[in-house]
Amino acid sequence: MTNTFGGKPHVLILGGGSVGLTTASELRKTLGAEVSITVVDPRPYMTYAPFLPEVGAGSIDPRNVLAPLRKILPGAKVVTGSVSAIRSAENTVVVDLEDDEKLEIAYDYLVVGLGAVPRLLPIPGLAENAIGFKQVEEATAVRDRILANLGEAATTKDPAARKRLLTFTFIGGGFAGGEAVSEAEDMVRDALRYYPDLHSSDIRFVLVDGAPFIFPELTEDQRAYVLNQLRERGIEVKLETFLNSAENGVIKTSDGDEFETDLLVWNAGVKPAPVLADEESSDLPVVTERGPLMGKLEALPDLRVNGVDGPFDNVFAAGDCAAVPDLASGEGKFCPPNAQHAVRQAKRLADNIARSVQGRPLVDYYHKNLGVMATLGMYKGVGRLQLGEKEIDVRGLPAWAMARAYHVYAMPTLGRKASVLAGWATTLLSRRDIIGIPQTETPRAAFEYAANAGKKK
């Protein structure tokens, strides 16, 4: 294998999320200056996604869920750009930079941790009116929109506008969607004390999911518990129901319901980064059969990408864009796409690259699931702990505390952990902030108004 960086093996990591950040960090610990590391991502930071529902509820400052790549990975090169082509036959990757520039990067080892993007459906009005919930910018925008709508609804004299402003629709009842709507409703309930002109009966939260249940990762009893909790709080949960249309802010669902909404949040599934499935952009093989693995790279237990003619010895994959065998769950099972597996896969992946560099045998990835936890608002939670062969259901305050404790532990950097804890402490003392700042989407509006104020029309 030809070394490309001054005699050192060059490890190129695509994606700066949990997989990319952890892999780079572990490689630096293991091999130090023996390797050169480059990380490519459109954003110069890693977003700790499990905290996004609390960002959307104003419980955590948006910046505190971000881990700056350049600060955490000293000595590694960080390229801010989007991967547009992967040419494994030539050991090169093409990255699109700003101003239509392209950068071609050669590698000795390639790590694909590009994650996933929202899986959109051809529903009229969806692409034009909905917002996702996978990035910190989206969670912040959802928070700002909801809070700004409360203020606008409290002053409008138009009952139809008031109803639309106070109707918030969430599509998808998995962990991401369920936590997002739960935390948002909790935020609104807390904020209403400052709006004497509004009543809880004015607020409408709607959660739509095509499955017969929400939170599929939980047991049947736990699902029933969550469903009852949400409905008792006034959240309208529509199961076995699909979004038919969202044109002009008018929601039409398969159960015949039709209503106006000012916020539509899409959490109905994800798909692997599209560049992988595009044969003109990538020569790495992906799963083509329809199903939850479609579009993912097929990974061997040692996390090398598996091809038609055998494994790629210098190409590894992990996280949401990889179909990784779950050896702990039995034959034919694959690891679920969550942060718990992504971080642990990355550590095994980094160790296997180090082993390859040093000429040692690779080791398979094996991890028994520790369980799942979700927050449903302040002091509310649900989860399932896996202790050996025993499963324990946890609810209410204990589940909420466990979920927060685990995520603080998993959040990268001591500084970010401290910031999150300090923010929570402040919230306990002074309650959540109720200021929405939708003007961040148009920051020059006030300046432009001032500039044009004196001009004659």
Side-chain angles (χ1 to χ4, degrees), residues 335-356:
C335 296
N338 58 37
Q340 182 184 149
H341 277 289
V343 170
R344 287 167 174 79
Q345 288 168 9
K347 290 181 178 179
R348 168 53 52 212
L349 191 158
D351 180 66
N352 277 344
I353 290 179
R355 286 172 173 270
S356 178

Side-chain angles (χ1 to χ4, degrees), residues 399-453:
W400 174 82
M402 288 180 185
R404 279 193 156 191
Y406 174 78
H407 290 314
V408 168
Y409 164 77
M411 180 70 203
T413 82
L414 182 61
R416 285 295 188 254
K417 296 178 198 289
S419 296
V420 169
L421 290 171
W424 283 338
T426 301
T427 298
L428 288 174
L429 293 174
S430 62
R431 311 193 73 88
R432 281 181 284 205
D433 203 330
I434 63 167
I435 299 175
I437 315 178
Q439 292 83 1
T440 53
E441 298 178 8
T442 55
R444 295 188 71 252
F447 183 82
E448 291 173 349
Y449 173 79
N452 296 320

Side-chain angles (χ1 to χ4, degrees), residues 303-369:
L303 301 173
R304 287 179 297 170
V305 172
N306 192 27
V308 177
D309 301 320
F312 292 73
D313 288 332
N314 67 332
V315 181
F316 295 77
D320 292 359
C321 68
V324 179
D326 190 352
L327 301 182
S329 298
E331 188 175 351
K333 302 287 186 178
F334 292 87
C335 296
N338 58 37
Q340 182 184 149
H341 277 289
V343 170
R344 287 167 174 79
Q345 288 168 9
K347 290 181 178 179
R348 168 53 52 212
L349 191 158
D351 180 66
N352 277 344
I353 290 179
R355 286 172 173 270
S356 178
V357 170
Q358 296 166 350
R360 296 185 291 142
L362 307 188
V363 177
D364 290 345
Y365 172 72
Y366 182 94
H367 170 66
K368 295 201 72 170
N369 194 13

Side-chain angles (χ1 to χ4, degrees), residues 52-53 55-56 118 131-135 138-139 142 170 176 180 265-267:
L52 289 182
V55 171
I131 185 172
F133 208 81
K134 282 188 63 63
Q135 302 296 339
E138 295 171 327
V142 167
F170 290 70
V265 182
W266 180 261
N267 264 308

Side-chain angles (χ1 to χ4, degrees), residues 50 132 138 206 237 247 263 334 349 362 384:
E138 295 171 327
V206 183
V237 183
E247 290 183 299
L263 176 66
F334 292 87
L349 191 158
L362 307 188
R384 173 175 52 83

Side-chain angles (χ1 to χ4, degrees), residues 271-295:
K271 64 180 181 180
V275 67
L276 298 175
D278 185 351
E279 293 183 359
E280 295 184 1
S281 300
S282 172
D283 60 2
L284 295 175
V286 297
V287 177
T288 56
E289 293 81 6
R290 288 194 173 275
L293 303 181
M294 184 176 180

